[in-house]
Amino acid sequence: MGSVRVMASTRFLCLLNAKAAASTKSLARAGLSVCLKRHVCSSPSRLQSCMPAWVIDQYGTNEVLRYTEDQPLPNISSASDVMIKVHAASLNPLDISMRGGYGAKMLKLRRDPTSMMNNDSEFPLVLGRDVSGVVVDCGSEVTHFFPGDEVWAAVPPWKQGSLSEFVTLTEYEVSQKPKSLSHTEAASIPYVANTALSALVNAGGLCRDSSSNKRVLITGGSGGVGTFSIQLLKAWGAHVTVTCSQNAEGLVRGLGADEVVDYTSGDAAERLEMMEKFDVVLDNVGGETEEWAMGLLKPWSGAKYVTLVSPLLLSTDSMGLLDGVFQAGFTLHNKAIQNIISSGVFYRWGFFAPDGPALDEVSKLVDAGKILPVVEAQFPFTQVPQAFQKVEEGHARGKTVVRMAEEDDRQAEELVQDPPIGAAESEPGEESAKQN
């Protein structure tokens, strides 16, 4: 887990000295109890600890979002669990899709494997995939975190999300927040970081030691995954080409993109074909992009096309779990075989994967100034529907953040006064809402 874990262990030893560890944890838990008593929901049968949250009780449009103060508290249910008080969260295109029911069958099965045998509802469902906050309680076997630690994490889509006062994750999904960022800034990174790392490393075969001088094309480069991937690849020494609309060029160049192609121009594909071939294509757009992007890769050299717009969840939604998985697997197999035979190019799907240790490495890059948060818009917790509307418009110029804690309001105001590097007027975004 690197130096962050060593720092945590050192702190623990210090806490043990003078018998501070036990008292610190007891006080923190006592503080948690006081905090939670602000929200108590009553029923005819018993009292239950609850918290404020934005939930949905059915799939649909923005109208299904509902504010409640009666959402059950996500208690510590495992020895490896970490409970986090949310200070800021951010929205991703996936949240818009999940609100409408995208991936419902597969995600319901992942939440509860017994759901195939019964008709239990997954509602009320809390959305929100990013979190930055403070640890308030830990399971008995947690060794890397302590109450009071500032942390960040990406919440898996099969778990209750971060648009609530508290969220519980395993310690392996959580990481120490970069010291140089406010919670508002930090909340813009974890989900896109874990998605990009999974796609570029696991599917694309890239890493810090193998990316030097590699040529990478990112389609839809001005959205969350794109803006993070540009910075990560440049930190690793890669040459990065990006497609985006013309008025996002200043943003992506400011983040380090070497070459930028306006996807709205009629000759975008022709311009890319005139360039030197690429080692990796990271496709955030899908659709017709796949048809011409394959031809941009170096033939017979181990080049890889990685798309974040796979049909897996759509197939299971429309065809059922078994038929959908079979159909998606059949499609992947056919495309992979076809491309490896015709040009020696690997065709792969990229998926989000929660990974706390990976965020540890990202945290180091952030604190070293090699990765900057790209926050386009911020909303208070009372305006979550407006935040969803902003993301749904598709004007992707970084991330939309929801502030939970008042102490981050000042930083949010500063972000408004100092917009992201090269931020431009909005235009229809490139990043697909069907990201995994």
Side-chain angles (χ1 to χ4, degrees):
M1 297 285 287
S3 62
V4 173
R5 303 303 194 216
V6 174
M7 289 172 62
S9 298
T10 302
R11 185 197 302 184
F12 182 56
L13 292 174
C14 294
L15 288 171
L16 282 176
N17 187 31
K19 300 181 180 180
S23 60
T24 298
K25 201 163 189 176
S26 298
L27 287 171
R29 284 179 172 159
L32 172 62
S33 299
V34 172
C35 181
L36 297 183
K37 286 177 182 176
R38 290 181 301 162
H39 304 286
V40 177
C41 61
S42 58
S43 65
S45 60
R46 63 190 179 94
L47 293 177
Q48 180 183 11
S49 294
C50 296
M51 64 179 179
W54 283 91
V55 302
I56 61 172
D57 301 304
Q58 61 182 325
Y59 296 117
T61 61
N62 225 24
E63 286 71 25
V64 301
L65 290 166
R66 174 176 66 88
Y67 175 78
T68 178
E69 293 193 355
D70 296 337
Q71 178 67 10
L73 195 74
N75 295 316
I76 299 289
S77 58
S78 168
S80 63
D81 280 351
V82 175
M83 179 183 282
I84 302 167
K85 179 175 174 58
V86 180
H87 282 231
S90 75
L91 299 182
N92 295 273
L94 179 62
D95 291 300
I96 306 301
S97 300
M98 287 180 62
R99 186 199 63 195
Y102 172 69
K105 293 182 179 178
M106 180 72 78
L107 295 176
K108 182 180 179 182
L109 178 65
R110 180 63 177 81
R111 293 185 194 104
D112 180 12
T114 66
S115 62
M116 292 186 67
M117 308 299 295
N118 56 55
N119 293 319
D120 290 345
S121 173
E122 64 268 43
F123 302 113
L125 192 62
V126 182
L127 302 175
R129 308 271 63 88
D130 291 288
V131 59
S132 181
V134 176
V135 174
V136 293
D137 201 4
C138 301
S140 60
E141 296 181 5
V142 173
T143 59
H144 299 134
F145 303 98
F146 304 94
D149 284 352
E150 292 192 334
V151 296
W152 64 346
V155 182
W158 51 87
K159 291 188 175 183
Q160 291 285 39
S162 56
L163 293 176
S164 56
E165 188 176 18
F166 296 93
V167 66
T168 296
L169 298 169
T170 69
E171 68 171 322
Y172 310 107
E173 296 166 336
V174 180
S175 169
Q176 300 282 354
K177 180 183 76 67
K179 293 180 174 57
S180 59
L181 299 186
S182 68
H183 287 294
T184 298
E185 295 167 320
S188 68
I189 294 177
Y191 185 80
V192 296
N194 277 162
T195 302
L197 282 165
S198 177
L200 293 171
V201 176
N202 298 338
L206 297 174
C207 67
R208 179 179 55 191
D209 300 324
S210 68
S211 299
S212 181
N213 298 319
K214 289 289 179 66
R215 290 181 54 80
V216 181
L217 170 65
I218 302 173
T219 65
S222 67
V225 172
T227 53
F228 177 85
S229 298
I230 293 168
Q231 298 181 84
L232 179 69
L233 290 167
K234 293 307 299 180
W236 286 352
H239 181 281
V240 180
T241 301
V242 171
T243 68
C244 63
S245 61
Q246 184 179 14
N247 62 16
E249 181 174 350
L251 170 64
V252 297
R253 285 197 183 277
L255 296 173
D258 297 287
E259 298 184 72
V260 181
V261 175
D262 178 9
Y263 82 98
T264 63
S265 65
D267 62 346
E270 296 178 4
R271 288 182 57 192
L272 288 167
E273 289 172 359
M274 294 174 62
M275 297 180 181
E276 181 182 344
K277 299 290 186 180
F278 297 95
D279 297 287
V280 174
V281 171
L282 176 61
D283 186 3
N284 293 292
V285 179
E288 296 180 357
T289 303
E290 186 174 309
E291 299 176 8
W292 50 260
M294 299 297 302
L296 303 176
L297 289 161
K298 297 177 181 178
W300 308 108
S301 63
K304 300 174 181 67
Y305 167 85
V306 182
T307 179
L308 290 172
V309 193
S310 82
L312 177 59
L313 295 183
L314 282 177
S315 295
T316 57
D317 286 340
S318 61
M319 304 174 65
L321 288 170
L322 295 179
D323 289 343
V325 169
F326 176 81
Q327 180 61 42
F330 182 74
T331 299
L332 175 61
H333 177 268
N334 282 353
K335 290 186 176 182
I337 293 298
Q338 177 184 348
N339 284 286
I340 197 68
I341 291 177
S342 63
S343 57
V345 167
F346 292 94
Y347 176 92
R348 293 176 176 174
W349 291 346
F351 294 93
F352 161 82
D355 192 339
L359 289 177
D360 286 348
E361 297 304 314
V362 174
S363 184
K364 295 176 185 177
L365 291 172
V366 170
D367 283 336
K370 294 184 178 180
I371 291 181
L372 303 173
V374 184
V375 178
E376 181 186 21
Q378 314 86 31
F379 294 84
F381 190 53
T382 55
Q383 296 181 8
V384 164
Q386 290 91 324
F388 268 82
Q389 184 177 355
K390 173 69 180 70
V391 177
E392 195 166 13
E393 290 171 357
H395 304 285
R397 296 294 182 269
K399 295 295 292 293
T400 295
V401 176
V402 174
R403 304 186 308 273
M404 305 286 293
E406 293 180 1
E407 54 262 39
D408 258 19
D409 284 351
R410 180 178 57 82
Q411 290 93 331
E413 291 173 0
E414 292 174 354
L415 285 171
V416 172
Q417 295 169 2
D418 300 309
I421 298 173
E425 294 180 2
S426 297
E427 207 161 287
E430 304 86 2
E431 196 162 350
S432 171
K434 297 294 189 289
Q435 283 181 4
N436 296 293

